[in-house]
Amino acid sequence: MNGSLSQRIYLFTLSCCLLFTILLGSVIWSSQTVELAFSRDSYAQQLDNQLNTLKQLVVSDNIYANHYSVGNWLVLQRKLTSLLKSSPTLTPQQKTIQTSIKSQNDSLKHLFGQITKNKLKNASVAIKNHLKARLMTQLEALRSDSLQLSAIAHKDIHNTIKHEALFIISVSAASIVALLFGAFTFTNIVSKSLDEVKRAFKQNHSGHFQKIRLSHRSQEFDSIVKAFNTMNEKLSETTVSLEVMKKVVEERTHVLEHLSNTDPLTKVANRRALFERANMEYSRAVRSNNKLTLLLLDCDLFKNVNDEFGHLFGDELLIHICKICGQEIRDIDFLARYGGEEFIIVLPNCDIAGGVETANRIQQSLAQHCIAIEDKEVFVTLSIGVSTLTERHKSLDQLINDADKAMYQAKDNGRNCIEVLTPSNLH
């Protein structure tokens, strides 16, 4: 059903009114049915009381006495006849008993009339007693029928109340179920439509411009969906999704970070990245009481190479040195350009002996691999200073300064050698 919500509300309201009318009608009809059952019981009670009064009248008076007056009898008899004519609507079983009572009442009137016509002056006592006994028997039969009618009416009250109570409960339960179903259906339509619209807005925030597809159609929500989908089509044509933007930003950020931490010539870490990594390793070593060694490398006579072969070859030479160093150090070691033709290698978890061994490997590999220019082989050497972390080093700068002093000692000792700063040559 693709109707409007207002139409659904109107239909639901009409359904509620209809169910209320049915429920009210069932209550009224049931009350009338119960009232009829009570009126039948009251009618049976009145019959019994009237017949009992007639019986008492016959028992207490001598109907054969000369002074006996039939006036009281006739009054009671007329009341009984009038009562039989004004009976309420009876059930088929009650009607059968009612017919029997009317017939017996006619016989009773006829018999009483015969007895009181001339007082049976010539009749014997036995005959008079017999006729009076018949009169009493007739009254008892009438009263027995009235009692039976009363019992049926009384039983009918209980059955009627029980039946009508079940009927009202059934109608009420059906009405409640129908109302709950209608309310649940209507609420579900509105709630689900709102959730689907809300979900679409959330997807828009994340950059996914998707169309809304409603599970339940309605004119009000269809107009919202149409406007939203039109807006999404325009946005999707002109807007880059958030995920794409994030990916581009992350890629650009990674590139920028790499560029900011990389020496543009040698492609190894620059001075900024060196201090960031070296400080981290220094703090870790101090905190965990681990070993930490630095190598400071300087290319010997680099100015002479630049003067003889040019700056372009000097750049190639620095790149060659970095390649050799990168091949000879561990994965956890860190190579960075310190400045000009100077490089620093950070060796975590490495003592002084390990540092010297690494420096030796670098010098030997550099000696075995020359760099050529114009078919001429050029061999270069390195002066390397080694320092290791001790208790007297209160900062990273002190550790680097010791490596720098050791490197200058290597220079003073003829270059192409490795020097370790010892307490004897600190000054």
Side-chain angles (χ1 to χ4, degrees):
M1 179 180 179
N2 189 16
S4 64
L5 292 177
S6 58
Q7 289 175 339
R8 285 189 171 98
I9 293 174
Y10 181 70
L11 181 60
F12 179 71
T13 304
L14 286 180
S15 301
C16 292
C17 293
L18 178 61
L19 289 173
F20 177 76
T21 303
I22 293 173
L23 181 61
L24 182 61
S26 64
V27 171
I28 294 173
W29 184 79
S30 297
S31 64
Q32 291 176 347
T33 304
V34 173
E35 185 178 354
L36 178 59
F38 276 104
S39 66
R40 289 168 181 168
D41 183 61
S42 177
Y43 168 71
Q45 291 291 338
Q46 291 176 22
L47 277 180
D48 182 58
N49 291 336
Q50 198 67 28
L51 289 169
N52 189 49
T53 303
L54 281 172
K55 180 181 175 183
Q56 294 297 327
L57 183 63
V58 173
V59 172
S60 60
D61 293 340
N62 183 6
I63 61 177
Y64 296 112
N66 291 329
H67 62 275
Y68 179 75
S69 175
V70 297
N72 292 336
W73 172 272
L74 292 175
V75 172
L76 294 175
Q77 185 64 52
R78 280 194 294 270
K79 287 183 178 180
L80 178 60
T81 302
S82 176
L83 186 61
L84 289 171
K85 290 180 180 180
S86 61
S87 64
T89 304
L90 302 175
T91 63
Q93 186 181 11
Q94 291 172 334
K95 285 181 179 180
T96 301
I97 299 174
Q98 171 82 349
T99 302
S100 175
I101 292 175
K102 286 181 178 181
S103 176
Q104 292 186 64
N105 185 49
D106 291 338
S107 299
L108 178 66
K109 287 191 292 183
H110 179 72
L111 179 59
F112 186 80
Q114 291 295 324
I115 292 174
T116 58
K117 187 175 183 180
N118 54 10
K119 308 297 186 194
L120 298 175
K121 295 178 180 180
N122 299 323
S124 63
V125 175
I127 292 175
K128 290 180 178 180
N129 291 336
H130 174 71
L131 290 175
K132 188 175 182 179
R134 281 186 59 192
L135 184 65
M136 293 296 294
T137 302
Q138 194 71 32
L139 283 169
E140 285 293 338
L142 279 167
R143 192 159 180 269
S144 176
D145 285 344
S146 70
L147 288 173
Q148 185 179 2
L149 184 65
S150 178
I152 293 173
H154 192 68
K155 183 179 179 181
D156 187 50
I157 289 175
H158 293 285
N159 292 335
T160 302
I161 292 175
K162 181 179 179 181
H163 178 269
E164 297 308 318
L166 290 174
F167 176 71
I168 292 175
I169 291 173
S170 300
V171 173
S172 301
S175 300
I176 292 172
V177 170
L179 290 175
L180 288 177
F181 176 77
F184 174 78
T185 302
F186 178 74
T187 304
N188 184 55
I189 291 174
V190 175
S191 177
K192 198 163 187 179
S193 298
L194 286 174
D195 287 341
E196 289 168 345
V197 172
K198 190 186 299 182
R199 192 181 307 116
F201 275 101
K202 287 183 178 179
Q203 289 175 343
N204 263 23
H205 284 301
S206 62
H208 298 286
F209 302 106
Q210 299 180 358
K211 290 184 177 181
I212 301 177
R213 292 179 175 82
L214 295 176
S215 304
H216 303 283
R217 305 291 300 279
S218 64
Q219 292 179 1
E220 289 82 358
F221 278 101
D222 282 348
S223 61
I224 296 174
V225 168
K226 184 178 179 181
F228 182 86
N229 290 341
T230 302
M231 177 189 69
N232 267 7
E233 288 178 1
K234 294 179 180 179
L235 287 174
S236 62
E237 293 173 358
T238 57
T239 307
V240 180
S241 69
L242 181 60
E243 287 189 357
V244 173
M245 288 294 293
K246 286 175 66 177
K247 186 176 181 181
V248 170
V249 170
E250 288 175 357
E251 290 177 352
R252 298 286 175 84
T253 302
H254 179 72
V255 170
L256 290 174
E257 288 180 351
H258 180 72
L259 290 175
S260 65
N261 292 325
T262 304
D263 177 60
L265 173 64
T266 60
K267 306 306 178 185
V268 298
N270 59 15
R271 188 182 183 91
R272 175 179 177 275
L274 166 65
F275 279 95
E276 181 178 340
R277 175 66 179 272
N279 273 303
M280 181 183 69
E281 295 294 347
Y282 174 82
S283 298
R284 181 185 292 126
V286 171
R287 184 174 59 253
S288 304
N289 197 25
N290 290 335
K291 302 293 185 179
L292 178 64
T293 299
L294 294 186
L295 304 184
L296 200 155
L297 302 79
D298 183 84
C299 182
D300 295 329
L301 304 175
F302 182 71
K303 183 178 181 302
N304 296 341
V305 173
N306 277 337
D307 292 341
E308 182 178 354
F309 299 106
H311 289 282
L312 290 179
F313 179 77
D315 292 343
E316 291 294 328
L317 180 60
L318 294 178
I319 295 172
H320 176 68
I321 292 172
C322 289
K323 180 180 178 181
I324 295 297
C325 291
Q327 293 173 349
E328 299 301 329
I329 62 177
R330 303 170 299 174
D331 292 337
I332 63 171
D333 299 334
F334 187 77
L335 169 66
R337 187 177 182 182
Y338 187 54
E341 66 275 17
E342 292 182 339
F343 300 90
I344 287 181
I345 299 177
V346 181
L347 303 172
N349 297 322
C350 180
D351 56 13
I352 195 70
V356 172
E357 181 183 352
T358 302
N360 279 321
R361 286 202 307 272
I362 293 172
Q363 283 190 332
Q364 291 173 6
S365 179
L366 191 61
Q368 295 171 2
H369 300 86
C370 64
I371 183 171
I373 179 173
E374 298 177 356
D375 298 329
K376 181 180 179 180
E377 293 183 345
V378 178
F379 290 91
V380 294
T381 60
L382 296 175
S383 296
I384 303 176
V386 183
S387 66
T388 190
L389 181 64
T390 62
E391 293 182 356
R392 73 179 190 83
H393 293 111
K394 304 303 179 183
S395 67
L396 175 67
D397 291 338
Q398 291 181 356
L399 188 61
I400 295 176
N401 187 51
D402 283 353
D404 187 63
K405 290 179 180 180
M407 184 270 294
Y408 276 106
Q409 286 182 6
K411 292 281 189 184
D412 293 340
N413 293 334
R415 301 183 179 88
N416 192 24
C417 64
I418 302 167
E419 290 293 337
V420 178
L421 195 68
T422 60
S424 62
N425 53 17
L426 284 176
H427 304 289

